Amino acid sequence: MSEEKLLKVSELTIHYHTVEGIIKAVRNISLEVNVGDSLCIVGESGSGKSTLGLAISLSLPKNAVVVSGSILYKGRDLLKLKTSEVGRYRGKEISMIFQDPATTFNPLFTIGEHLTDILRHHFGMSREEALERAVELLKMVRLPDQARILHAYPHELSGGMLQRAAIAAALSTNPKILIADEPTTMLDVTTQAQILDLINSLKRELNLTLILITHNLGIAGEVCSRTAVMYAGTLLEEGPTEDIILNPLHPYTAKLIKAVPIITKTQGRLSHIPGVLPDLRNPPKGCPFVDRCELATPECSASQPEYFRVGGVRRVACILYGGEHE
Amino acid sequence: MPVPREYVVKRLLLLVFVVIGVLVITFVITRIIPARPEFLWAGPHATEEQLKRARQELHLDEPVHVQLYYYLLDFFRGNWGVSWRTRLPVLNDLLTALPATLELVIVAFLLASLIGIPLGIYSALRYGRIADQIIRVLTILGASVPVFWIALIFQTAIGIWAGVLPAGKRVDDYLAYITGFKPITGFYILDSIIQGNLPVFIDVLRHIIMPAFVLSIYPLSLSSRMSRSLMIEVLNENHVRSLEVWGVPQKTILFKYALRNVIVPVIASLGLSFGYTLVGAFMVELIFVWPGLGYYAGMSLLSYDYPAIIGVVILVALFYSLINLVVDLIHAWLDPRVRF
């Protein structure tokens, strides 16, 4: 390998303990991210993509248990950090923004209060220094009238403004990796484009490594050089975004792309993937997509397919591509 | 956020109508009850002649609306009538009883919020553990056991058997006499501080702590249960998670951010039950021989003392509305989303 891996997720498995049983949210996932990369994780709701993001940002909820695997950041396993060390990574090296900007900030505190608390904690700034820096940060995310926004409460700002403020908060600590979990899902279409533009240009300006979690393949195409497709807690295929969209390998990815409505074409019925997601309390032993796949063979349900390399830069977990092993 | 002055004025004007409404309703209800209050006025051995004269003096033979007219006429001149039981002006009676009750209720609510809220938050942070279970059971008990029963148990166990605290009254009369203690405001804690009278100050505290604690058990349990469930809810909110992800220390998230989300609604509901407790303290006041408003109201009710009953009701309505207004203003001050 010529380049040092910034982030290396290996065979990660995460379960949630709930009253309804153990939910196997993430199963045996491996991923690599280089410095300056932009990786999209695409999947339906319930595919485990958010759980993966929370695990990398060291913010898994209390009922989540990492069963096995490792997350190496600059060679250091984030899952084996002592409690006292977590603070040096969480927010500082790896930061995150979320789906719903309206609930990202505490409604009883101003945006400025949130920003200055982060800055004062991470850099030991005084209140005045923190406020100055907060103004710069709001400028950085292209928010006008920074003084007013600092004194504004969340309910006084629009979704787009709040998402920009959230980006400012996430980037206030100069993190290396930004994880954006469905950052535009709750916004209207024109604002979506602006936020994606902003993330794109900030990524270049600050030399950020970006992990973007989305259910929208179109967004993946706009922002990310590489894409990983997740389904029912497993990674089905991974490779350059363009290749995945133009020439999907896994039957699931192919169907997902067919399901994207095309605005210029009048379709009688929107196409969808028949069947439902498998129950994650008791996921199938073989390929998780086997029940909905037209090309399934008995071999598919026998055991989980291994990853096969295709064209050097792509890998896919489907026996159709058997031959060259990873 | 700044409160517009017109809003406060509007609310205060509304208060006048509330008081008039309450007054009319209470007046009519007391008058249509089939009772013969003239016996109270004329005394137990009154002759037929004396009773007749009493009915005339009290206007009891006039139609209800005429009686109401007389009452309103006096009321707006600041004359709330004379109590038929104590034979003193009702307003005087009320103003003597009010500070005693206010002092008791204020101490009770201080205890309720200062113990209840931290207890609930602690319980939430120990969610599902033994401490949480114990606190939950105790607060369910506290919210459901009748207050007079707790009062009797405490009085018997602590006041009489153990003899650690006085079993009743506001202050030791003998001690007050020899130290020259004089009520000024009627709030004895305040009065003893003003006069620099340390022995009475300690004695007043020793008298108030047991009834105040008994009275606080219900609001304490309520605020504890409310804080617990609010805290559990808030900790699952997205904004707590985002601060965590951005690396803000747990201490700041809990005790600066989440705490305010918990305290604002708890304070609001405690404030509202404050007005209600003014008279709800009746049982506690009766058991601990506390010469307050609840005691006065209870006695007046039992003796058909119409002017006193109406006086109490109006005072409580006034207090209730004022506290409502104050709670709304505090709520608006703490929660920027509140609009007028």
Side-chain angles (χ1 to χ4, degrees), chain A residues 7 9 15 23 30 53 59 65 99 131 133 148 159 165 179 182 194 201 210 236 240 270 282 306:
Chain A
L7 188 76
V9 178
H15 292 175
I23 294 173
S30 300
S59 307
V65 178
Q99 179 169 357
L131 276 172
R133 176 81 183 116
R148 183 180 77 82
I179 302 172
E182 304 254 15
Q194 291 170 6
S201 53
L210 180 70
L236 294 187
L270 293 175
N282 190 16
E306 291 173 65

Side-chain angles (χ1 to χ4, degrees), chain A residues 9 11-15 23-31 40-52 227-238 250 252-253 256 277-280 282-290 300 303-307 315-318:
Chain A
V9 178
E11 292 169 358
L12 187 66
T13 299
I14 299 170
H15 292 175
I23 294 173
K24 295 162 180 146
V26 167
R27 288 181 291 140
N28 202 20
I29 285 203
S30 300
L31 272 176
C40 268
I41 301 175
V42 178
E44 302 172 47
S45 6
S47 62
K49 55 195 197 300
S50 291
T51 303
L52 182 61
T227 292
V229 179
M230 275 183 79
Y231 181 80
T234 61
L235 187 74
L236 294 187
E237 79 167 293
E238 192 225 329
H250 200 283
Y252 171 68
T253 321
L256 200 61
L277 274 168
D279 183 357
L280 289 180
N282 190 16
K285 200 161 112 254
C287 172
F289 192 59
V290 66
C300 290
S303 66
Q304 198 153 356
E306 291 173 65
Y307 289 103
R315 61 188 170 125
V316 56
C318 182

Side-chain angles (χ1 to χ4, degrees), chain A residues 77-96:
Chain A
D77 189 350
L78 296 181
L79 298 173
K80 295 207 173 74
L81 290 179
K82 293 194 206 95
T83 325
S84 57
E85 293 173 310
V86 171
R88 265 188 271 151
Y89 291 87
R90 186 161 58 197
K92 189 85 188 76
E93 298 287 330
I94 302 164
S95 200
M96 192 162 176

Side-chain angles (χ1 to χ4, degrees), chain B residues 9-10 28 33 63 71 99 101 109 128 146 153 163 171-172 225 252 266 279 284 319 332 336 339:
Chain B
V9 172
K10 212 165 76 190
V28 172
I33 290 171
Y71 187 85
T101 292
F109 274 77
I153 296 293
V171 65
D172 187 317
R225 292 179 61 72
T252 316
V266 174
V279 172
V284 174
F319 248 92
R339 282 277 171 277

Side-chain angles (χ1 to χ4, degrees), chain A residues 44 231 252 255 258-259 271-277 289-294:
Chain A
E44 302 172 47
Y231 181 80
Y252 171 68
K255 293 202 167 201
K258 249 181 88 185
S271 82
H272 67 112
I273 308 176
V276 289
L277 274 168
F289 192 59
V290 66
D291 292 339
R292 301 166 83 178
C293 184
E294 285 157 8

Side-chain angles (χ1 to χ4, degrees), chain A residues 141-163:
Chain A
V141 294
R142 279 68 151 173
L143 274 171
D145 207 354
Q146 298 87 8
R148 183 180 77 82
I149 288 173
L150 279 185
H151 290 106
Y153 288 94
H155 70 279
E156 298 168 325
L157 302 177
S158 70
M161 289 165 106
L162 284 171
Q163 196 58 290

